[in-house]
Amino acid sequence: MDVDARIEAIRADAGQRLTDTNLWTNLNSFTGHGGKILFYHGASDPWFSALDTLDYWHRAEAANGAIWADSSRFYMVPGMGHCGGGANTYDSFDLLGAVVDWVEKGKAPEAVTARRTLPTPGERPLCPWPSYPQFIGGDEKSAASFKCSKPA
């Protein structure tokens, strides 16, 4: 089977294109009405690469222009597998509360605290892309011991 030819045939079908949501990057009608959207992906997802979600987010950024920065955030979750779990991961976090605060209170999310219970309890900030949690000192099990920093 020629996989590339089969994919092209599927994508050439107009009905199929309507259901291929990875192609829907122009979200101007959503963002134009004040819509806010948060993305997250486990960096250790064995089914879908987190880089695919990041690629979609960047394509949507290019398609939507400057408003994207005021409408969307992307969070990479270190160690998390597909939708949760993973070795030593901080996979308990509240992005729903963050997006509700953004919509209802105008408070754009920055760091979101993520927690774990195993192997030992702890918390870390999830930082909006491209920033990352940088240890600044103190208890390594406390989110307050980190700040979101941008790569140089």
Side-chain angles (χ1 to χ4, degrees):
M1 179 168 119
D2 184 342
V3 175
D4 292 329
R6 182 69 185 122
I7 288 171
E8 287 305 314
I10 290 169
R11 290 190 174 153
D13 178 84
Q16 182 65 40
R17 286 185 65 81
L18 290 174
T19 62
D20 285 345
T21 57
N22 66 315
L23 302 173
W24 301 353
T25 56
N26 184 336
L27 303 175
N28 286 326
S29 60
F30 175 75
T31 58
H33 286 87
K36 308 296 185 199
I37 187 168
L38 300 180
F39 293 80
Y40 75 94
H41 201 120
S44 296
D45 187 334
W47 290 2
F48 305 102
S49 172
L51 298 178
D52 290 335
T53 302
L54 181 59
D55 174 66
Y56 173 86
W57 190 79
H58 281 304
R59 288 185 293 118
E61 180 181 40
N64 294 282
I67 196 170
W68 193 244
D70 296 326
S71 302
S72 178
R73 298 287 186 274
F74 176 78
Y75 295 89
M76 189 77 72
V77 185
M80 189 175 87
H82 189 71
C83 298
N88 205 28
T89 188
Y90 296 83
D91 66 347
S92 179
F93 46 87
D94 180 18
L95 290 182
L96 179 58
V99 79
V100 167
D101 285 348
W102 198 5
V103 171
E104 295 181 358
K105 300 175 185 173
K107 183 180 177 223
E110 289 302 323
V112 173
T113 300
R115 292 176 175 78
R116 72 170 187 203
T117 55
L118 297 172
T120 59
E123 56 185 32
R124 291 277 193 286
L126 296 180
C127 300
W129 185 264
S131 60
Y132 63 93
Q134 180 182 20
F135 185 69
I136 55 174
D139 181 2
E140 72 266 1
K141 295 178 185 169
S142 172
S145 300
F146 296 81
K147 71 172 184 172
C148 290
S149 297
K150 296 207 184 228

